[in-house]
Amino acid sequence: MSKPLIKLLESSIELKGCSFTLTVIHLLDSRPELIRHALQKKIEQAPDFLESAPVVINISALSKEANWHEIHKAVISTGLKLVGISGCKDKNQKQALVALGLPFMNEGKTQQWISKKEPSPKKDFSKTQIIHSLVRSGQQIYARNSDLVVINNVSAGAELLADGNIHVYGIMGGRALAGASGDIESQIFLTHCAAELIAIAGEYVSHDHISPEYLGQAVHLRLLNKTLIFRRFDSIF
């Protein structure tokens, strides 16, 4: 291969490390039809968040006798884009999944908050990330290993992610996802709740399922037994 061709090939691509936030679906039952119906229901509850979304499925709770081919069909039949498998510890399981062309992924610390017996993951948090400008539609801000504070409005179609807490001192019109790496103790503070979707450690609620008493209000959110708890600030003090 000639040197000019080698240089041309090298200049045509560039490899960079990058992090993406993916939804991890923990399968607790191996019956494909039950899985399909459960996923479809979740998608209907939050279509803006889940419709055609890339997902990882965790199979650590399933037995090695599960019908992986039918489970795979059940997941993708909902329109979800299956990008990987996690929680696989059995060699026979791996062989069956490799035959389906599915890659394996390591969730790292995320698995710790899913288990009821494990404590929340401990992190070395960095300095709080503070945003003063308007967060526009289509913009995504991710505060890795830190809290995120926005002192302005967040437009519909924008997305805030933080491994820690999220504070918005303005109108929250987009998506807010705190505890993005699995910290169930993360919380969200909004001075004007108009969010399209709110999530803490993977547990979420879409705009249509937020009680009207909290819309347009200053609210505080935390996670309790995998349920998002809303409280208005005027009821806290």
Side-chain angles (χ1 to χ4, degrees), residues 27-46:
L27 299 184
L28 306 178
D29 194 291
S30 62
R31 289 171 287 182
E33 194 61 18
L34 188 61
I35 291 170
R36 187 182 70 81
H37 281 295
L39 289 175
Q40 195 62 55
K41 183 177 180 182
K42 287 290 186 183
I43 293 170
E44 290 171 358
Q45 291 173 348

Side-chain angles (χ1 to χ4, degrees), residues 4-231:
L5 180 57
I6 292 175
K7 288 184 178 180
L8 179 62
L9 292 174
E10 290 178 345
S11 63
S12 64
I13 63 171
E14 184 177 8
L15 301 180
K16 290 185 176 182
C18 190
S19 296
F20 295 91
T21 300
L22 293 172
T23 298
V24 180
I25 299 169
H26 287 247
L27 299 184
L28 306 178
D29 194 291
S30 62
R31 289 171 287 182
E33 194 61 18
L34 188 61
I35 291 170
R36 187 182 70 81
H37 281 295
L39 289 175
Q40 195 62 55
K41 183 177 180 182
K42 287 290 186 183
I43 293 170
E44 290 171 358
Q45 291 173 348
D48 291 340
F49 183 55
L50 286 175
E51 192 167 348
S52 300
V55 298
V56 175
I57 60 172
N58 181 292
I59 62 171
S60 58
L62 302 188
S63 68
K64 59 184 179 181
E65 289 79 20
N67 188 329
W68 305 114
H69 179 72
E70 292 300 319
I71 290 174
H72 179 224
K73 283 174 57 178
V75 173
I76 63 175
S77 70
T78 65
L80 294 173
K81 310 302 181 184
L82 184 55
V83 299
I85 303 291
S86 67
C88 183
K89 301 177 182 178
D90 182 83
K91 285 186 177 181
N92 292 330
Q93 282 181 339
K94 287 186 177 181
Q95 290 176 356
L97 292 164
V98 167
L100 293 173
L102 297 173
F104 294 94
M105 303 181 73
N106 181 12
E107 291 180 45
K109 294 183 179 180
T110 304
Q111 288 178 303
Q112 295 183 22
W113 67 267
I114 293 295
S115 171
K116 295 179 181 178
K117 297 180 181 179
E118 294 289 341
S120 300
K122 302 298 181 180
K123 302 185 184 71
D124 294 324
F125 269 59
S126 58
K127 187 176 180 180
T128 298
Q129 184 172 340
I130 301 176
I131 305 297
H132 292 274
S133 58
L134 169 69
V135 184
R136 302 183 184 278
S137 179
Q139 188 176 357
Q140 183 189 75
I141 297 174
Y142 177 29
R144 183 188 300 277
N145 291 338
S146 72
D147 293 344
L148 175 61
V149 176
V150 178
I151 309 175
N152 209 315
N153 296 335
V154 179
S155 302
E159 188 171 72
L160 306 179
L161 299 99
D163 287 335
N165 306 308
I166 291 178
H167 303 251
V168 178
Y169 300 106
I171 298 174
M172 178 63 218
R175 302 179 184 181
L177 298 90
S181 62
D183 186 356
I184 62 174
E185 296 179 357
S186 296
Q187 300 179 43
I188 296 176
F189 304 85
L190 308 176
T191 58
H192 184 108
C193 179
E196 296 171 315
L197 183 138
I198 301 174
I200 298 178
E203 303 296 335
Y204 61 87
V205 61
S206 62
H207 181 88
D208 292 342
H209 292 85
I210 298 174
S211 174
E213 68 177 298
Y214 301 119
L215 293 174
Q217 302 299 317
V219 297
H220 163 239
L221 292 94
R222 63 188 178 91
L223 199 59
L224 180 64
N225 297 326
K226 294 189 177 183
T227 300
L228 285 173
I229 305 299
F230 284 72
R231 293 182 67 188

